[in-house]
Amino acid sequence: RYKRSVLGLLWTMLAPLLNMIALTLVFSALLKMAISNYPVYFMAVQVFSRFTGNDCKDDTEDPCAMTFNSDSLAALEYVFNLRSSYQIAAANMSLGGGRYISEDTCESDDRARKAVVDNLRAAGIATVAAAGNDGFTNALSAPGCLSSVVSVGATTLSDQVASFSNSASFLDLLAPGVRILSSIPGGYA
């Protein structure tokens, strides 16, 4: 349905992908370095595609970068398949969609991803995902709503839940998420 191009992939990798991995991967790498004597490596897996027009209705930019569920599922499976070649500490996903007021509803709607996340967890690989940026006060976005995913919401400089951050009773962690120095133009995300 959507055409993919080399330019589209490069575009999505330059801004959204770098921003996506900046906060979550740095945290997991620092944690791993602090508890081990092993070198830490970062591996980015491209899951975003370039969308335009009506497909960008929930985004502020057109064109926009979004992901198909099948691409994020394939990326998690790819990480799982690399587990014996690399010491992988975490799969970090700064993406999400939907509104889930319970883990049960989320897991019912996202059984395939739940299965892969459970396989990663059994292999000792944590899956960390954004809570979402819709400002929900009683719901999380998928995949952060899955019970075996570590969900992360955003806080402000004054350590309050950011107005855009989703939160719910089943949110796992809060972390700085406002004015984060980033690789995107302007320097802050």
Side-chain angles (χ1 to χ4, degrees), residues 16-25 45 47-48 65-67 72 91-97 127-133 141-144 149-150 152 164 189:
L17 186 59
L18 291 175
N19 188 39
M20 172 188 80
I21 64 173
L23 179 63
T24 54
L25 285 181
V45 180
V47 297
F48 288 98
M66 297 170 46
T67 183
S72 64
N92 300 284
M93 306 175 75
S94 186
L95 52 82
T127 302
V128 181
N133 293 337
S141 297
V149 167
V150 178
V152 182
F164 61 83

Side-chain angles (χ1 to χ4, degrees), residues 32-184:
K32 187 173 179 180
M33 285 187 331
I35 61 174
S36 72
N37 291 324
Y38 297 100
V40 176
Y41 302 97
F42 295 104
M43 175 180 53
V45 180
Q46 175 15 47
V47 297
F48 288 98
S49 296
R50 184 175 190 254
F51 290 78
T52 59
N54 288 336
D55 293 316
C56 296
K57 66 179 184 234
D58 293 334
D59 207 309
T60 58
E61 296 181 7
D62 183 356
C64 61
M66 297 170 46
T67 183
F68 292 102
N69 285 343
S70 59
D71 288 344
S72 64
L73 181 62
L76 290 171
E77 290 171 340
Y78 178 71
V79 170
F80 181 76
N81 290 333
L82 291 175
R83 73 192 181 285
S84 49
S85 300
Y86 301 95
Q87 284 189 322
I88 301 172
N92 300 284
M93 306 175 75
S94 186
L95 52 82
R99 181 179 187 155
Y100 294 93
I101 59 171
S102 76
E103 291 173 324
D104 291 338
T105 304
C106 178
E107 291 174 4
S108 175
D109 286 355
D110 208 354
R111 287 188 178 115
R113 194 162 23 194
K114 169 74 169 137
V116 176
V117 168
D118 287 348
N119 286 340
L120 287 166
R121 186 175 185 170
I125 302 169
T127 302
V128 181
N133 293 337
D134 303 293
F136 302 146
T137 57
N138 66 344
L140 301 182
S141 297
C145 56
L146 296 170
S147 63
S148 44
V149 167
V150 178
S151 56
V152 182
T155 60
T156 64
L157 295 173
S158 60
D159 207 25
Q160 301 299 310
V161 176
S163 61
F164 61 83
S165 183
N166 293 350
S167 64
S169 61
F170 52 101
L171 176 67
D172 295 309
L173 296 172
L174 289 165
V178 174
R179 293 196 47 84
I180 302 300
L181 189 57
S182 169
S183 60
I184 64 170

